[in-house]
Amino acid sequence: MQSNTIRFSCVGCGVCCKGRLIPLTLAEARQWLSRGHDVSVIIEAFDEPTWPRSSQEFDHARGRSVSVRCGNTRIRVIALFAGKALEQCPNLSADNLCGIYEERPLVCRIYPMEINPFIALRQDNKACPPHAWESNDVICTDGRADPALGALINQSRQADISDASSKVAICAQLGLNVTSWKDNALAVYFPQREKLLEAIHRAKGTPEDYPDCEWQVRVDDPSLRERLTASAVALAANESAEYTFHVL
Ligand code: SF4
Ligand code: SF4
């Protein structure tokens, strides 16, 4: 049987370090902020009818999320912390090499592999130039990452699970209470650096420690608004200066 092998070796072009948000674990976000750089917060939510309960997608999303009260029901919220590299990563050197190579975030070590188990690695979805894919180094065979990369991917997925409650609690503490709806849009906050760092240092364990936080969902799509209203979800106004809103 022929195997589907993907070969790759980073050529140090630095393209993947520019024009994006860099997903971080909670510990990495603390380090990123401590170095004097900004971290954005992306909040998304879903509810049980989003996927069949027995599906792998539901299990994956449930592990990365926490249940919070929203209106007269409960939703599950995922908070993603991401280093701001919208022009370019603040750690990128003039020679396009990583200035914190030994301490770079997990996601930078894993790229171009996918962390999400439901997204297949595709060369045309990646920033890497064609000659990076002409290497002899095998990174993936029949959809399986090579063992070293696989261990990093597992570490990243595990951090998503173990950080989930603290990250949502930090959002509640900072009053970042409006979430987008999964696969519909992204609500992106750019909290002030010192405030976010302080909130991370002060973080209590769970969102239940912030009972005054009134979670709301921002949805602009009329049919989804109707579905969520019928489910007793509290909806936010269709405009806000508190976050940027990107419909997917
Ligand atoms: S931390 Fe390093 S590898 Fe990661 S995006 Fe920044 S410069 Fe690139
Ligand atoms: S875009 Fe690809 S080849 Fe270029 S630095 Fe990033 S990982 Fe390496």
Side-chain angles (χ1 to χ4, degrees), residues 25-123:
T25 66
L26 189 53
E28 289 168 348
R30 193 186 299 119
Q31 275 184 315
W32 194 278
L33 292 159
S34 300
R35 289 191 193 100
H37 307 315
D38 290 326
V39 168
S40 58
V41 176
I42 301 161
I43 312 179
E44 55 182 11
F46 63 99
D47 63 1
E48 301 216 338
T50 303
W51 298 282
R53 269 200 82 127
S54 56
S55 70
Q56 290 181 324
E57 284 91 342
F58 184 82
D59 283 345
H60 175 66
R62 183 175 53 186
R64 307 170 63 222
S65 64
V66 287
S67 172
V68 300
R69 174 147 291 282
C70 177
N72 288 324
T73 187
R74 297 191 76 84
I75 58 172
R76 299 198 68 92
V77 172
I78 301 172
L80 298 119
F81 288 10
K84 204 171 155 197
L86 293 177
E87 281 191 21
Q88 69 165 52
C89 177
N91 301 304
L92 190 66
S93 307
D95 55 5
N96 277 334
L97 297 180
C98 179
I100 55 162
Y101 189 78
E102 296 302 329
E103 297 174 4
R104 69 198 188 287
L106 271 174
V107 70
C108 304
R109 297 166 193 262
I110 291 166
Y111 195 90
M113 292 296 295
E114 298 289 354
I115 295 171
N116 184 327
F118 303 104
I119 300 177
L121 171 60
R122 285 173 52 120
Q123 187 176 333

